[in-house]
Amino acid sequence: MEKDGAAQDNPNSQQKKLIPPYMKAISGSFGGIVEASCLQPIDVIKTRLQLDRSGNYKGILHCGTTISQTEGVRALWKGLTPFATHLTLKYALRMGSNAMLQSAFKDPETGKVSNHGRFLSGFGAGVLEALVIVTPFEVVKIKLQQQRGLSPDLLKYKGPVHCAQTIIREEGLRGLWAGASPTVMRNGTNQAAMFSAKNAYDILLWKKHEQDGKVLQPWQSMISGFLAGTAGPICTGPFDVVKTRLMAQSREGGELKYKGMIHAIRTIYAEEGLAALWKGLLPRLMRIPPGQAIMWAVADQIIGLYERRYLQISSF
C-alpha cells in the first residue's frame, strides 16, 4: 500500500521540474501567432464599433462590409504587425508568469494548486501582461485601426514604429500607456477567470488534470479554451470600451475628453447610455473565445509533445 501511495505521489514530485515555465511561454507564443493571423479582422471591426459615436456602422457585418468597400479588404488586417507581435509576447509572458506564480502557490507535499491560488496566479499574470506588453501595443494598434483609408499620404501614422514615435513625440512616453488602469482591470480579471475555467473544464469534460501526462486532442483543447474564454468579455466589457476610448483620444485641438477610467465610465454612461459600456461585445465574443480555442489547441499540443518526449523518458 505504501508503495502504491508513493507511486501516486511520484508524478506530482516530477511536475515542478519537468514542465518548466519557459515551455509554457513558448507554447503560448506559438498559439498567439496562429490566433492573430486568423482573427485580426474581427479585432479591427470591434475597435471601429467601439469608436463609433455617430452610428455609422449598423452592426458587425455592416461594419466589415463598409470597411472592405471603402478602404479595401486589406484594411481588415490593419494593425496586424503590432497585433501579432503583441499577442506573441503577451501569451509568452502570460503563460510563463502564470506558471511561475502557480509554483509559489503549490502545496509543497502534493504539488497541487488550490482554486484560490490558481485564481490569484491568473490575475497576477494578467496585471503583468497589461503593464509590460498589452497597453503600449494596443495603443499603437488602436491608433492604426482608427485611421480610415489605405493611402500612406493621407494617413497620420505610416506604420507601427512611426506611430509609436509620433505618440512619444506628441504626448510623451506616457502616451504609450494611455488607458493602463482599465487594461489592468480587464486583463487581470480575464486571466484569473480564464486559467481557472480552463482547468475546471479540462477536469470536468476530459478528466484531464494539469501536468498529469495526458495529452488532449486539439478539438478537446479547443472546446475547453472556447468555453473558458466566454466569461471574461461579458464581465470586463466596460473596461474594454473605456480602454479603447482612452487609447484612441489625443491632445489635438485641446483638452482630453476623458480624464481617466472612472471619468470615462461616467461620461459614456451619461452621454450614450448603459448599453454603450458593452459596445463591441459581440465581436469580442466572436474573437476572444475562438482565439482562446486556437491558442490552447496549439499550446496544449506543444506541452503534450514536451511531456511525451521528455517527461515519460525521464520517468524511468
Side-chain angles (χ1 to χ4, degrees):
M1 293 295 293
E2 292 180 0
K3 189 174 182 179
D4 290 340
Q8 291 175 356
D9 288 339
N10 187 47
N12 288 328
S13 65
Q14 293 176 341
Q15 289 170 12
K16 300 176 185 176
K17 59 183 179 181
L18 291 179
I19 305 181
Y22 76 82
M23 276 308 303
K24 296 290 185 73
I26 291 172
S27 69
S29 65
F30 277 98
I33 293 172
V34 178
E35 177 187 340
S37 300
C38 295
L39 301 179
Q40 172 68 359
I42 297 176
D43 191 72
V44 171
I45 291 171
K46 182 213 75 167
T47 300
R48 289 290 183 88
L49 286 173
Q50 289 182 336
L51 294 174
D52 181 27
R53 298 194 189 107
S54 55
N56 292 325
Y57 304 120
K58 310 306 179 185
I60 294 172
L61 292 178
H62 180 258
C63 181
T65 302
T66 302
I67 293 172
S68 299
Q69 291 177 345
T70 59
E71 304 173 48
V73 176
R74 283 191 303 138
L76 291 171
W77 274 266
K78 275 186 175 181
L80 177 60
T81 300
F83 186 53
T85 304
H86 133 258
L87 273 188
T88 302
L89 296 175
K90 178 179 73 173
Y91 281 135
L93 179 60
R94 175 189 299 177
M95 300 288 279
S97 62
N98 181 72
M100 294 181 66
L101 289 169
Q102 281 196 11
S103 67
F105 288 102
K106 279 184 178 179
D107 186 294
E109 296 182 0
T110 66
K112 294 181 179 180
V113 181
S114 66
N115 291 334
H116 179 71
R118 195 178 306 278
F119 186 89
L120 291 178
S121 297
F123 189 86
V127 170
L128 187 61
E129 73 179 17
L131 291 175
V132 177
I133 302 294
V134 177
T135 303
F137 273 92
E138 288 212 1
V139 167
V140 172
K141 175 179 70 74
I142 287 172
K143 295 284 191 183
L144 291 172
Q145 287 178 347
Q146 72 178 138
Q147 297 186 121
R148 287 172 167 75
L150 287 173
S151 174
D153 295 334
L154 301 177
L155 298 178
K156 177 178 179 179
Y157 307 114
K158 312 305 180 185
V161 175
H162 179 259
C163 181
Q165 292 173 338
T166 304
I167 293 170
I168 293 173
R169 183 175 65 252
E170 294 181 351
E171 305 175 40
L173 189 62
R174 291 179 60 184
L176 289 174
W177 272 265
S181 296
T183 307
V184 165
M185 292 301 299
R186 184 198 66 173
N187 282 60
T189 304
N190 266 340
Q191 300 343 310
M194 187 272 293
F195 279 110
S196 299
K198 175 61 166 60
N199 181 71
Y201 283 121
D202 282 349
I203 296 173
L204 178 65
L205 297 176
W206 323 118
K207 303 296 186 289
K208 157 69 179 172
H209 293 266
E210 192 173 21
Q211 298 183 356
D212 62 1
K214 179 180 179 181
V215 182
L216 296 178
Q217 294 295 319
W219 64 270
Q220 293 175 313
S221 297
M222 291 186 77
I223 291 174
S224 293
F226 185 93
L227 293 174
T230 56
I234 297 174
C235 297
T236 62
F239 294 126
D240 193 63
V241 171
V242 169
K243 169 205 69 88
T244 302
R245 295 285 181 92
L246 289 174
M247 289 178 175
Q249 67 180 354
S250 66
R251 294 185 179 278
E252 293 182 1
E255 295 185 359
L256 296 175
K257 179 179 179 64
Y258 306 115
K259 311 303 182 185
M261 181 175 68
I262 303 300
H263 179 259
I265 291 175
R266 290 175 175 172
T267 303
I268 294 170
Y269 173 73
E271 293 181 353
E272 304 172 52
L274 182 63
L277 291 170
W278 274 268
K279 273 189 173 181
L281 177 60
L282 186 55
R284 283 191 80 205
L285 289 173
M286 291 177 63
R287 181 181 68 81
I288 294 177
Q292 289 301 300
I294 294 169
M295 192 281 293
W296 281 110
V298 175
D300 281 351
Q301 289 303 303
I302 293 175
I303 292 298
L305 177 65
Y306 184 89
E307 288 182 316
R308 287 192 298 268
R309 181 165 295 182
Y310 297 107
L311 184 149
Q312 295 179 7
I313 292 174
S314 62
S315 63
F316 287 99

